[in-house]
Amino acid sequence: NTMKYIIFNWKSYLNFKETISLSKIISGIKKSKKFKIISAPNNFFHLALSKKFIKNTYASQNFDLDGRGASTGSLDISYLKENKTKYVIIGHSEMRSNHGETDEIVSIKLESSIDNKLIPIVCIGESLKIYKSNKTKKFLHNQISTIFKITRNYDHIIVAYEPLWSIGTGLTPNFSEINDICKYLSKILEKYTFKKINILYGGSVNL
């Protein structure tokens, strides 16, 4: 009876009124021991939502490594901790493509998340070019070995496999492909020490 995680990354699609409406719907879903719903609304709305819908579980879409102080526009991880945000998405494909976030940066963010007692949702995944050249597993293996440390004892980590070629394109891997990759990730993650690890599939959903 493994807990299933359903993580909604709302990106920057919804305005505040729409965000409130969706949060209200989620707050009305009966809690279950079988699944956990985690909402990742636009970071700007977190403070208002966490006060209005206290039973909902939230993830931050990102945080910055600039630190507190003279870094205009940055979101320091200490603010997430202060706001009792429990989860944080790191290494999302859009952070990688739009802001140049590398696996090395993701590794630093992973350490920062753990140090601040947030549960990281680590995003990995290959491009269409890599997928078509049948190098997906080698690529994912390199990502894992760069992001995680053999010598580190990890607490709870969520790894989200999101193939870049299936995000917003209408293309999706079939179930056997997803299953095969998840089994492969389980295997290569065995050499690392986790108290708890969940592997999820992430892709686009139209509602």
Side-chain angles (χ1 to χ4, degrees):
N1 290 334
T2 307
M3 172 71 79
K4 302 288 191 296
Y5 288 85
I6 303 165
I7 303 169
F8 290 129
N9 178 13
W10 305 0
K11 306 190 180 186
S12 296
Y13 282 111
L14 306 182
N15 62 27
F16 186 59
K17 188 178 178 182
E18 292 163 337
T19 298
I20 291 287
S21 296
L22 186 51
S23 297
K24 189 176 181 181
I25 292 167
I26 290 168
S27 70
I29 298 171
K30 192 178 177 183
K31 292 283 185 284
S32 170
K33 290 181 179 178
K34 293 182 178 179
F35 64 86
K36 182 184 283 288
I37 295 174
I38 301 168
S39 302
N42 186 288
N43 287 341
F44 187 74
F45 302 141
H46 264 257
L47 198 59
L49 292 175
S50 61
K51 287 184 176 179
K52 190 172 179 67
F53 302 101
I54 56 173
K55 290 185 179 178
N56 289 4
T57 304
Y58 299 99
S60 174
Q61 292 183 11
N62 180 47
F63 69 91
D64 300 296
L65 291 172
D66 305 314
R68 290 173 65 176
S71 46
T72 301
S74 292
L75 177 65
D76 188 69
I77 196 165
S78 64
Y79 302 143
L80 305 182
K81 188 178 179 182
E82 196 177 341
N83 195 40
K84 295 181 173 60
T85 303
K86 195 172 180 184
Y87 298 84
V88 62
I89 298 171
I90 55 177
H92 190 276
S93 59
E94 286 153 4
M95 286 302 300
R96 291 172 183 269
S97 61
N98 299 341
H99 300 279
E101 195 158 288
T102 62
D103 289 326
E104 287 78 11
I105 292 171
V106 174
S107 182
I108 296 167
K109 285 190 169 184
L110 175 62
E111 294 296 316
S112 183
S113 304
I114 295 162
D115 291 343
N116 285 278
K117 307 221 166 9
L118 273 80
I119 298 170
I121 302 162
V122 182
C123 301
I124 57 172
E126 81 284 8
S127 66
L128 185 60
K129 186 180 177 183
I130 290 164
Y131 172 71
K132 282 189 169 179
S133 59
N134 294 315
K135 293 178 181 173
T136 294
K137 288 183 179 178
K138 184 182 177 184
F139 181 82
L140 295 177
H141 190 282
N142 288 339
Q143 283 197 299
I144 293 292
S145 60
T146 304
I147 294 168
F148 294 97
K149 293 184 172 74
I150 295 282
T151 52
R152 180 72 134 120
N153 288 333
Y154 295 101
D155 194 11
H156 184 193
I157 305 279
I158 297 173
V159 174
Y161 167 60
E162 46 163 28
L164 309 191
W165 51 272
S166 77
I167 300 168
T169 61
L171 299 169
T172 51
N174 60 47
F175 180 75
S176 63
E177 285 179 302
I178 296 167
N179 199 35
D180 181 51
I181 291 297
C182 287
K183 281 182 178 177
Y184 175 71
L185 290 173
S186 294
K187 186 182 174 185
I188 62 174
L189 286 163
E190 279 177 2
K191 63 181 179 181
Y192 300 92
T193 307
F194 300 99
K195 193 172 180 181
K196 182 180 178 185
I197 184 161
N198 299 92
I199 299 171
L200 312 183
Y201 167 72
S204 294
V205 176
N206 292 323
L207 296 175

